[in-house]
Amino acid sequence: MPLKRRFEDDGEDYILDLGDNAIHEEFDIHDRYPRSNAGVGLDWSKLEQQLFDFLLVNRFNTDAHDVLSDQIDAVASLVEKFDEQEIMRICSAAMLAKRLESDESKDFSEEVEKYREYIKKHPADAEE
């Protein structure tokens, strides 16, 4: 079983810098992926590590570090309530909703409410 590397030094890169074609002969990059000390300590699988790396790297790349709990709650809710196809549709719709907000200065929730009110008044249009 390959050695699971821990990161001890504060100055050490979390995701290793492979340099410009100057890869050390002892450093095997085959099947490498970023790992955290927590992942090593919890003996996470590659899939677990990649999942949490994705959330944490996203968190550390944003200015609002307090959104991590909201992100975790959103992911847990999606996984609990929807299958893979619906999760992809929801994520795509969420990205379009952000574009709607930035490009057209419209709020997704308000637009949904307008749609619901319209359908109440015109139920036949719901089937189109």
Short mmCIF file of all heavy atoms in Angstrom, two decimals, residues 56-101:
data_model
loop_
_atom_site.label_atom_id
_atom_site.label_comp_id
_atom_site.label_asym_id
_atom_site.label_seq_id
_atom_site.Cartn_x
_atom_site.Cartn_y
_atom_site.Cartn_z
N LEU A 56 -13.47 22.25 0.00
CA LEU A 56 -12.54 23.08 0.76
C LEU A 56 -11.73 24.01 -0.14
O LEU A 56 -11.52 25.16 0.21
CB LEU A 56 -11.63 22.21 1.60
CG LEU A 56 -12.35 21.42 2.71
CD1 LEU A 56 -11.39 20.46 3.38
CD2 LEU A 56 -12.98 22.35 3.72
N VAL A 57 -11.30 23.52 -1.30
CA VAL A 57 -10.57 24.39 -2.21
C VAL A 57 -11.50 25.51 -2.66
O VAL A 57 -11.11 26.67 -2.73
CB VAL A 57 -10.01 23.59 -3.42
CG1 VAL A 57 -9.53 24.52 -4.50
CG2 VAL A 57 -8.86 22.71 -2.96
N ASN A 58 -12.76 25.18 -2.92
CA ASN A 58 -13.74 26.20 -3.29
C ASN A 58 -13.85 27.22 -2.15
O ASN A 58 -13.87 28.42 -2.38
CB ASN A 58 -15.09 25.55 -3.58
CG ASN A 58 -16.12 26.57 -4.02
OD1 ASN A 58 -15.84 27.43 -4.82
ND2 ASN A 58 -17.30 26.47 -3.46
N ARG A 59 -13.92 26.76 -0.93
CA ARG A 59 -14.05 27.65 0.22
C ARG A 59 -12.84 28.58 0.34
O ARG A 59 -12.98 29.76 0.56
CB ARG A 59 -14.20 26.84 1.50
CG ARG A 59 -14.27 27.72 2.74
CD ARG A 59 -14.25 26.92 4.00
NE ARG A 59 -13.36 27.59 4.93
CZ ARG A 59 -12.77 27.03 5.94
NH1 ARG A 59 -12.96 25.77 6.19
NH2 ARG A 59 -11.99 27.70 6.73
N PHE A 60 -11.65 28.02 0.19
CA PHE A 60 -10.45 28.83 0.38
C PHE A 60 -10.22 29.79 -0.79
O PHE A 60 -9.46 30.73 -0.66
CB PHE A 60 -9.23 27.94 0.58
CG PHE A 60 -9.27 27.20 1.89
CD1 PHE A 60 -9.03 25.84 1.95
CD2 PHE A 60 -9.56 27.86 3.06
CE1 PHE A 60 -9.07 25.16 3.16
CE2 PHE A 60 -9.61 27.19 4.28
CZ PHE A 60 -9.36 25.83 4.32
N ASN A 61 -10.88 29.57 -1.90
CA ASN A 61 -10.74 30.46 -3.04
C ASN A 61 -11.80 31.55 -3.06
O ASN A 61 -11.87 32.33 -3.99
CB ASN A 61 -10.78 29.68 -4.35
CG ASN A 61 -9.48 28.97 -4.61
OD1 ASN A 61 -8.43 29.42 -4.19
ND2 ASN A 61 -9.55 27.85 -5.28
N THR A 62 -12.65 31.60 -2.06
CA THR A 62 -13.68 32.63 -2.00
C THR A 62 -13.36 33.59 -0.87
O THR A 62 -12.58 33.29 0.03
CB THR A 62 -15.08 32.03 -1.75
OG1 THR A 62 -15.09 31.43 -0.46
CG2 THR A 62 -15.46 31.01 -2.80
N ASP A 63 -13.97 34.75 -0.91
CA ASP A 63 -13.78 35.71 0.17
C ASP A 63 -14.66 35.40 1.36
O ASP A 63 -14.37 35.79 2.48
CB ASP A 63 -14.10 37.13 -0.33
CG ASP A 63 -13.08 37.61 -1.34
OD1 ASP A 63 -11.92 37.16 -1.27
OD2 ASP A 63 -13.45 38.42 -2.20
N ALA A 64 -15.78 34.70 1.12
CA ALA A 64 -16.75 34.41 2.17
C ALA A 64 -16.53 33.00 2.70
O ALA A 64 -17.11 32.04 2.22
CB ALA A 64 -18.17 34.57 1.63
N HIS A 65 -15.68 32.88 3.72
CA HIS A 65 -15.36 31.55 4.25
C HIS A 65 -16.52 30.95 5.03
O HIS A 65 -16.53 29.76 5.28
CB HIS A 65 -14.12 31.63 5.13
CG HIS A 65 -12.88 31.93 4.36
ND1 HIS A 65 -11.65 31.49 4.73
CD2 HIS A 65 -12.67 32.63 3.23
CE1 HIS A 65 -10.74 31.90 3.88
NE2 HIS A 65 -11.34 32.61 2.95
N ASP A 66 -17.49 31.77 5.41
CA ASP A 66 -18.61 31.25 6.21
C ASP A 66 -19.64 30.53 5.36
O ASP A 66 -20.60 30.00 5.90
CB ASP A 66 -19.26 32.39 6.99
CG ASP A 66 -19.77 33.51 6.10
OD1 ASP A 66 -19.25 33.63 4.97
OD2 ASP A 66 -20.66 34.25 6.53
N VAL A 67 -19.47 30.48 4.05
CA VAL A 67 -20.45 29.80 3.21
C VAL A 67 -20.27 28.29 3.18
O VAL A 67 -21.12 27.57 2.66
CB VAL A 67 -20.44 30.35 1.76
CG1 VAL A 67 -20.77 31.82 1.74
CG2 VAL A 67 -19.14 30.08 1.07
N LEU A 68 -19.19 27.77 3.74
CA LEU A 68 -18.94 26.33 3.68
C LEU A 68 -20.08 25.53 4.28
O LEU A 68 -20.52 24.54 3.70
CB LEU A 68 -17.62 25.98 4.38
CG LEU A 68 -17.25 24.49 4.35
CD1 LEU A 68 -17.08 24.00 2.92
CD2 LEU A 68 -15.99 24.24 5.15
N SER A 69 -20.60 25.94 5.43
CA SER A 69 -21.71 25.21 6.05
C SER A 69 -22.94 25.20 5.15
O SER A 69 -23.61 24.18 5.02
CB SER A 69 -22.08 25.82 7.41
OG SER A 69 -21.03 25.62 8.32
N ASP A 70 -23.20 26.34 4.52
CA ASP A 70 -24.33 26.41 3.59
C ASP A 70 -24.11 25.48 2.39
O ASP A 70 -25.04 24.82 1.93
CB ASP A 70 -24.54 27.84 3.09
CG ASP A 70 -25.03 28.77 4.19
OD1 ASP A 70 -25.60 28.28 5.18
OD2 ASP A 70 -24.82 29.99 4.04
N GLN A 71 -22.89 25.44 1.90
CA GLN A 71 -22.57 24.55 0.78
C GLN A 71 -22.76 23.09 1.18
O GLN A 71 -23.33 22.30 0.43
CB GLN A 71 -21.14 24.78 0.30
CG GLN A 71 -20.93 26.13 -0.35
CD GLN A 71 -19.47 26.41 -0.66
OE1 GLN A 71 -18.56 25.72 -0.16
NE2 GLN A 71 -19.23 27.41 -1.47
N ILE A 72 -22.28 22.74 2.36
CA ILE A 72 -22.42 21.36 2.84
C ILE A 72 -23.89 20.99 2.98
O ILE A 72 -24.32 19.91 2.56
CB ILE A 72 -21.66 21.17 4.16
CG1 ILE A 72 -20.14 21.24 3.90
CG2 ILE A 72 -22.02 19.84 4.83
CD1 ILE A 72 -19.30 21.35 5.15
N ASP A 73 -24.68 21.90 3.57
CA ASP A 73 -26.12 21.65 3.71
C ASP A 73 -26.80 21.49 2.36
O ASP A 73 -27.66 20.63 2.18
CB ASP A 73 -26.79 22.79 4.49
CG ASP A 73 -26.35 22.85 5.95
OD1 ASP A 73 -25.78 21.85 6.45
OD2 ASP A 73 -26.58 23.89 6.59
N ALA A 74 -26.40 22.33 1.38
CA ALA A 74 -27.00 22.25 0.05
C ALA A 74 -26.67 20.93 -0.62
O ALA A 74 -27.55 20.28 -1.19
CB ALA A 74 -26.52 23.43 -0.81
N VAL A 75 -25.41 20.50 -0.53
CA VAL A 75 -25.01 19.22 -1.13
C VAL A 75 -25.74 18.07 -0.46
O VAL A 75 -26.28 17.18 -1.13
CB VAL A 75 -23.47 19.03 -1.05
CG1 VAL A 75 -23.08 17.61 -1.43
CG2 VAL A 75 -22.77 20.05 -1.94
N ALA A 76 -25.80 18.08 0.87
CA ALA A 76 -26.48 17.00 1.60
C ALA A 76 -27.96 16.94 1.22
O ALA A 76 -28.51 15.84 1.02
CB ALA A 76 -26.33 17.20 3.11
N SER A 77 -28.59 18.08 1.09
CA SER A 77 -30.00 18.13 0.71
C SER A 77 -30.22 17.59 -0.70
O SER A 77 -31.14 16.82 -0.95
CB SER A 77 -30.52 19.56 0.82
OG SER A 77 -31.86 19.63 0.41
N LEU A 78 -29.36 18.00 -1.63
CA LEU A 78 -29.48 17.52 -3.01
C LEU A 78 -29.32 16.00 -3.07
O LEU A 78 -30.10 15.31 -3.72
CB LEU A 78 -28.42 18.18 -3.90
CG LEU A 78 -28.66 19.63 -4.29
CD1 LEU A 78 -27.43 20.21 -4.96
CD2 LEU A 78 -29.87 19.76 -5.18
N VAL A 79 -28.32 15.48 -2.38
CA VAL A 79 -28.05 14.04 -2.41
C VAL A 79 -29.21 13.26 -1.79
O VAL A 79 -29.59 12.19 -2.28
CB VAL A 79 -26.72 13.72 -1.68
CG1 VAL A 79 -26.54 12.24 -1.47
CG2 VAL A 79 -25.55 14.29 -2.46
N GLU A 80 -29.78 13.80 -0.73
CA GLU A 80 -30.88 13.12 -0.03
C GLU A 80 -32.16 13.10 -0.86
O GLU A 80 -32.89 12.11 -0.86
CB GLU A 80 -31.13 13.86 1.29
CG GLU A 80 -32.23 13.26 2.13
CD GLU A 80 -32.43 14.05 3.41
OE1 GLU A 80 -31.42 14.25 4.13
OE2 GLU A 80 -33.57 14.46 3.67
N LYS A 81 -32.44 14.19 -1.60
CA LYS A 81 -33.74 14.35 -2.24
C LYS A 81 -33.79 14.01 -3.72
O LYS A 81 -34.87 13.74 -4.25
CB LYS A 81 -34.23 15.79 -2.05
CG LYS A 81 -34.45 16.16 -0.61
CD LYS A 81 -34.84 17.61 -0.47
CE LYS A 81 -35.00 17.97 1.00
NZ LYS A 81 -35.22 19.39 1.20
N PHE A 82 -32.65 14.04 -4.41
CA PHE A 82 -32.69 13.95 -5.87
C PHE A 82 -31.71 12.90 -6.40
O PHE A 82 -30.69 12.62 -5.78
CB PHE A 82 -32.35 15.30 -6.50
CG PHE A 82 -33.27 16.41 -6.07
CD1 PHE A 82 -32.86 17.33 -5.11
CD2 PHE A 82 -34.53 16.52 -6.60
CE1 PHE A 82 -33.71 18.35 -4.71
CE2 PHE A 82 -35.39 17.54 -6.21
CZ PHE A 82 -34.99 18.45 -5.26
N ASP A 83 -32.04 12.38 -7.60
CA ASP A 83 -31.10 11.48 -8.26
C ASP A 83 -30.09 12.30 -9.06
O ASP A 83 -30.18 13.53 -9.11
CB ASP A 83 -31.83 10.46 -9.14
CG ASP A 83 -32.56 11.09 -10.33
OD1 ASP A 83 -32.31 12.27 -10.65
OD2 ASP A 83 -33.39 10.39 -10.93
N GLU A 84 -29.15 11.63 -9.69
CA GLU A 84 -28.05 12.31 -10.36
C GLU A 84 -28.53 13.27 -11.46
O GLU A 84 -28.01 14.37 -11.59
CB GLU A 84 -27.07 11.30 -10.97
CG GLU A 84 -26.28 10.50 -9.95
CD GLU A 84 -27.00 9.22 -9.54
OE1 GLU A 84 -28.20 9.05 -9.86
OE2 GLU A 84 -26.36 8.38 -8.89
N GLN A 85 -29.52 12.83 -12.25
CA GLN A 85 -30.01 13.67 -13.35
C GLN A 85 -30.60 14.97 -12.83
O GLN A 85 -30.35 16.04 -13.38
CB GLN A 85 -31.08 12.92 -14.16
CG GLN A 85 -30.68 11.54 -14.63
CD GLN A 85 -29.60 11.58 -15.69
OE1 GLN A 85 -29.13 12.64 -16.08
NE2 GLN A 85 -29.17 10.43 -16.15
N GLU A 86 -31.38 14.88 -11.76
CA GLU A 86 -32.00 16.08 -11.20
C GLU A 86 -30.96 17.00 -10.56
O GLU A 86 -31.08 18.22 -10.64
CB GLU A 86 -33.08 15.70 -10.17
CG GLU A 86 -34.36 15.20 -10.79
CD GLU A 86 -35.00 16.23 -11.72
OE1 GLU A 86 -35.19 17.39 -11.29
OE2 GLU A 86 -35.29 15.90 -12.87
N ILE A 87 -29.95 16.42 -9.94
CA ILE A 87 -28.88 17.24 -9.35
C ILE A 87 -28.19 18.05 -10.45
O ILE A 87 -27.94 19.24 -10.28
CB ILE A 87 -27.87 16.37 -8.57
CG1 ILE A 87 -28.55 15.79 -7.32
CG2 ILE A 87 -26.63 17.18 -8.20
CD1 ILE A 87 -27.73 14.76 -6.58
N MET A 88 -27.93 17.42 -11.58
CA MET A 88 -27.29 18.13 -12.69
C MET A 88 -28.20 19.24 -13.22
O MET A 88 -27.74 20.35 -13.50
CB MET A 88 -26.92 17.17 -13.83
CG MET A 88 -25.80 16.23 -13.46
SD MET A 88 -24.29 17.10 -12.98
CE MET A 88 -23.85 17.90 -14.49
N ARG A 89 -29.50 18.97 -13.33
CA ARG A 89 -30.44 20.00 -13.79
C ARG A 89 -30.48 21.17 -12.81
O ARG A 89 -30.48 22.33 -13.22
CB ARG A 89 -31.85 19.41 -13.95
CG ARG A 89 -32.04 18.61 -15.19
CD ARG A 89 -33.41 17.94 -15.24
NE ARG A 89 -34.41 18.60 -14.42
CZ ARG A 89 -35.52 19.16 -14.91
NH1 ARG A 89 -35.77 19.15 -16.17
NH2 ARG A 89 -36.39 19.72 -14.09
N ILE A 90 -30.53 20.87 -11.52
CA ILE A 90 -30.59 21.92 -10.50
C ILE A 90 -29.31 22.76 -10.52
O ILE A 90 -29.37 24.00 -10.44
CB ILE A 90 -30.83 21.31 -9.10
CG1 ILE A 90 -32.24 20.70 -9.04
CG2 ILE A 90 -30.62 22.33 -7.99
CD1 ILE A 90 -32.49 19.80 -7.85
N CYS A 91 -28.17 22.10 -10.61
CA CYS A 91 -26.90 22.85 -10.66
C CYS A 91 -26.83 23.74 -11.89
O CYS A 91 -26.38 24.89 -11.81
CB CYS A 91 -25.72 21.88 -10.63
SG CYS A 91 -25.52 21.05 -9.04
N SER A 92 -27.30 23.23 -13.02
CA SER A 92 -27.32 24.03 -14.24
C SER A 92 -28.27 25.21 -14.09
O SER A 92 -27.94 26.35 -14.48
CB SER A 92 -27.75 23.17 -15.44
OG SER A 92 -26.81 22.15 -15.66
N ALA A 93 -29.44 24.97 -13.51
CA ALA A 93 -30.39 26.05 -13.30
C ALA A 93 -29.82 27.09 -12.33
O ALA A 93 -30.02 28.30 -12.51
CB ALA A 93 -31.71 25.50 -12.77
N ALA A 94 -29.10 26.64 -11.31
CA ALA A 94 -28.49 27.57 -10.36
C ALA A 94 -27.47 28.48 -11.06
O ALA A 94 -27.40 29.68 -10.79
CB ALA A 94 -27.83 26.81 -9.20
N MET A 95 -26.68 27.90 -11.96
CA MET A 95 -25.71 28.71 -12.70
C MET A 95 -26.43 29.72 -13.59
O MET A 95 -26.02 30.88 -13.68
CB MET A 95 -24.79 27.82 -13.54
CG MET A 95 -23.83 26.99 -12.71
SD MET A 95 -22.77 27.99 -11.65
CE MET A 95 -21.88 28.95 -12.85
N LEU A 96 -27.51 29.30 -14.24
CA LEU A 96 -28.28 30.23 -15.07
C LEU A 96 -28.94 31.31 -14.22
O LEU A 96 -29.04 32.46 -14.65
CB LEU A 96 -29.32 29.47 -15.89
CG LEU A 96 -28.75 28.57 -16.99
CD1 LEU A 96 -29.84 27.72 -17.61
CD2 LEU A 96 -28.04 29.40 -18.05
N ALA A 97 -29.37 30.95 -13.01
CA ALA A 97 -29.97 31.94 -12.11
C ALA A 97 -28.94 33.00 -11.73
O ALA A 97 -29.27 34.19 -11.62
CB ALA A 97 -30.53 31.25 -10.86
N LYS A 98 -27.69 32.60 -11.53
CA LYS A 98 -26.63 33.58 -11.23
C LYS A 98 -26.41 34.50 -12.43
O LYS A 98 -26.21 35.70 -12.28
CB LYS A 98 -25.32 32.89 -10.87
CG LYS A 98 -25.31 32.25 -9.50
CD LYS A 98 -25.60 33.24 -8.40
CE LYS A 98 -24.37 33.83 -7.79
NZ LYS A 98 -24.67 34.69 -6.63
N ARG A 99 -26.45 33.93 -13.63
CA ARG A 99 -26.32 34.76 -14.84
C ARG A 99 -27.49 35.71 -14.97
O ARG A 99 -27.33 36.85 -15.37
CB ARG A 99 -26.23 33.87 -16.09
CG ARG A 99 -25.03 33.00 -16.16
CD ARG A 99 -23.98 33.35 -17.19
NE ARG A 99 -24.32 34.20 -18.28
CZ ARG A 99 -24.50 33.80 -19.54
NH1 ARG A 99 -24.41 32.52 -19.85
NH2 ARG A 99 -24.74 34.67 -20.49
N LEU A 100 -28.71 35.23 -14.67
CA LEU A 100 -29.90 36.06 -14.72
C LEU A 100 -29.74 37.26 -13.79
O LEU A 100 -30.07 38.39 -14.14
CB LEU A 100 -31.13 35.23 -14.32
CG LEU A 100 -32.49 35.92 -14.38
CD1 LEU A 100 -32.91 36.13 -15.82
CD2 LEU A 100 -33.52 35.08 -13.64
N GLU A 101 -29.19 36.99 -12.61
CA GLU A 101 -28.96 38.05 -11.63
C GLU A 101 -27.92 39.06 -12.14
O GLU A 101 -28.13 40.27 -12.06
CB GLU A 101 -28.49 37.41 -10.32
CG GLU A 101 -28.24 38.38 -9.20
CD GLU A 101 -27.75 37.66 -7.96
OE1 GLU A 101 -28.54 36.92 -7.35
OE2 GLU A 101 -26.56 37.82 -7.62
#
